[in-house]
Amino acid sequence: MSSHVYKLIEVAGTSPLGYDDAIKQAVAKAAKTVEHLDWFEVTEMRGHIKDGQVAHFQVVVKIGFRLD
């Protein structure tokens, strides 16, 4: 097994559909500008309430990418 070195970035993703979609939005956006994404970790979860209902979901994720 070879050794790797990773750098971490932290991004926030949002979605009206759910936490899963918010995570996917964050990773997809990061993938447009950063190469070699390998893993993510959800560090925060929160949401917005409107009229007594959950209206929006937000997650903060750390994304690890491999350095060449």
Side-chain angles (χ1 to χ4, degrees):
M1 181 174 188
S2 60
S3 298
H4 298 290
V5 175
Y6 295 90
K7 181 170 178 75
L8 300 175
I9 58 173
E10 189 171 66
V11 297
T14 64
S15 172
L17 303 177
Y19 290 116
D20 184 60
D21 191 56
I23 294 166
K24 290 177 182 176
Q25 294 294 329
V27 171
K29 190 67 164 183
K32 289 183 179 182
T33 58
V34 180
E35 296 180 346
H36 310 298
L37 299 182
D38 275 354
W39 56 270
F40 72 91
E41 172 187 358
V42 176
T43 59
E44 298 178 36
M45 297 172 74
R46 67 179 64 86
H48 176 72
I49 300 170
K50 184 175 181 179
D51 299 326
Q53 300 290 322
V54 175
H56 217 83
F57 301 84
Q58 182 183 45
V59 295
V60 176
V61 293
K62 288 183 181 178
I63 299 175
F65 61 96
R66 195 173 55 253
L67 297 175
D68 287 337

